[in-house]
């Protein structure tokens, strides 16, 4: 649908390469095909950047081949920047020991503050990386009035968060955005929306002057809550 508008040439478009099937011999062909098909569908000639969705792909036996192939696509002008989408500091450090990237996508939100607490963001900036923050609403969980029953085990964290919102008279959406705006190392924000009205509300809070709140106390040291990959396990 976006490609049919034929107006995307005025935008810098980033894309993600999905988890790569490492068992197939023609891995590079699959990646190239995915990039070219996406460019065709969006009716553009080049991506501003490509993120690898699964960090483990680059840490596999085929990792160097995949990385070298992405460099080739960069030289061929199909992509301008190569990036990685990560989940933890540990895997990020592993990747940076082997490869150079232009861009990186990290999860960061009121409950998940690992990258901030450790000063790891400053390290990433020293590597000249552009930092994209994703999961700023924790897959929408931090915006919900009523959570799915399986999250009842984390009730104390949500109650603490809700009490803070009520005391300060701010909405869930405003809280998530006020928090993310305090992190100066972040260059770009990734967020989803379902309507024009939602989009306008998000922009409103991004563009208004930030208020000063203390967010450290809301950090949760339980990956079963903070990493959505683990939600399927309970």
């Amino acid at each position: 649908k976006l490609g049919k508008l034929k107006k995307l040439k005025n935008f810098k478009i980033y894309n993600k390469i999905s988890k790569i099937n490492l068992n197939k011999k023609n891995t590079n062909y699959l990646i190239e095909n995915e990039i070219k098909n996406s460019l065709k569908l969006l009716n553009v000639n080049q991506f501003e950047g490509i993120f690898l969705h699964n960090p483990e792909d680059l840490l596999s036996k085929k990792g160097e081949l995949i990385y070298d192939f992405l460099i080739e696509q960069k030289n061929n002008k199909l992509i301008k920047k190569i990036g990685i989408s990560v989940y933890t500091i540990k895997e990020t450090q592993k990747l940076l020991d082997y490869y150079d990237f232009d861009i990186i996508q990290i999860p960061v939100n009121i409950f998940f503050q690992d990258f901030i607490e450790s000063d790891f963001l400053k390290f990433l900036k020293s590597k000249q990386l552009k930092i994209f923050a994703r999961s700023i609403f924790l897959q929408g969980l931090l915006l919900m009035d009523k959570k799915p029953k399986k999250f009842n085990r984390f009730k104390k964290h949500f109650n603490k968060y809700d009490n803070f919102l009520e005391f300060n008279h701010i909405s869930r959406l405003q809280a998530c955005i006020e928090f993310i705006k305090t992190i100066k190392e972040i260059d770009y924000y990734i967020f989803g929306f379902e309507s024009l009205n939602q989009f306008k509300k998000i922009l409103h809070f991004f563009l208004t002057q930030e208020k000063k709140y203390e967010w450290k106390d809301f950090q949760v040291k339980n990956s079963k809550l903070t990493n959505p990959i683990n939600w399927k396990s309970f």
Side-chain angles (χ1 to χ4, degrees), residues 140-141 143-149 151-152 158 162 172:
L141 195 61
L143 300 180
M144 294 179 188
D145 290 325
K146 191 174 182 181
K147 285 85 175 168
K149 288 183 180 178
F151 291 102
N152 285 346
F158 290 111
D162 288 341
R172 288 179 170 79

Side-chain angles (χ1 to χ4, degrees), residues 5 28 35 47 56 63 77 90 108-109 113 136 139 149 160 180-182 188 197-199 206 222 230-231:
L5 292 174
N28 288 352
I35 292 172
F47 283 123
E56 291 300 320
K77 310 293 185 187
K90 187 177 179 180
V108 56
N109 54 65
Q113 303 183 31
I136 60 180
Q139 304 292 313
K149 288 183 180 178
K160 185 178 180 180
I180 208 78
K181 281 164 62 178
T182 64
Y188 300 101
N197 189 44
Q198 281 186 4
F199 183 53
F206 268 116
N222 187 339
N230 297 325
W231 293 355

Side-chain angles (χ1 to χ4, degrees), residues 3-112:
K4 287 177 182 177
L5 292 174
K6 296 182 180 180
K7 293 182 179 179
L8 295 183
K9 288 174 183 176
N10 297 323
F11 291 84
K12 292 179 180 179
I13 302 172
Y14 295 80
N15 204 352
K16 258 188 183 181
I17 292 176
S18 54
K19 188 175 179 354
I20 299 164
N21 189 340
L22 299 172
N23 295 320
K24 294 196 174 181
K25 292 180 180 179
N26 55 346
T27 302
N28 288 352
Y29 170 77
L30 293 173
I31 298 171
E32 183 180 25
N33 207 35
E34 186 169 342
I35 292 172
K36 286 184 175 178
N37 281 343
S38 295
L39 288 170
K40 186 177 179 182
L41 285 170
L42 292 169
N43 201 26
V44 292
N45 299 319
Q46 183 186 56
F47 283 123
E48 183 70 16
I50 283 284
F51 292 99
L52 275 172
H53 183 65
N54 185 38
E56 291 300 320
D57 290 337
L58 282 180
L59 296 173
S60 70
K61 290 180 180 179
K62 287 188 175 181
E64 284 189 35
L65 289 173
I66 293 168
Y67 181 80
D68 289 342
F69 183 72
L70 289 173
I71 293 290
E72 188 181 316
Q73 302 311 301
K74 190 176 177 180
N75 293 334
N76 290 337
K77 310 293 185 187
L78 287 182
I79 57 179
K80 284 179 74 175
K81 297 171 183 139
I82 297 172
I84 191 74
S85 181
V86 296
Y87 293 90
T88 67
I89 289 174
K90 187 177 179 180
E91 70 179 358
T92 308
Q93 186 66 71
K94 270 187 186 178
L95 288 161
L96 294 177
D97 286 343
Y98 289 102
Y99 305 107
D100 292 320
F101 299 101
D102 305 300
I103 50 180
I104 189 166
Q105 198 180 114
I106 64 164
V108 56
N109 54 65
I110 291 171
F111 282 0
F112 186 75

Side-chain angles (χ1 to χ4, degrees), residues 142-143 161 165 168-177 205:
L142 290 170
L143 300 180
Y161 175 54
L165 299 178
N168 289 283
H169 305 290
I170 60 173
S171 68
R172 288 179 170 79
L173 178 62
Q174 184 180 359
C176 289
I177 294 173
F205 289 125

Side-chain angles (χ1 to χ4, degrees), residues 122-138:
K122 291 178 181 176
F123 169 71
L124 294 179
K125 295 307 287 184
S126 73
K127 292 274 189 181
Q128 306 300 311
L129 285 160
K130 290 291 184 182
I131 301 173
F132 289 66
R134 74 164 194 276
S135 198
I136 60 180
F137 305 136
L138 191 53

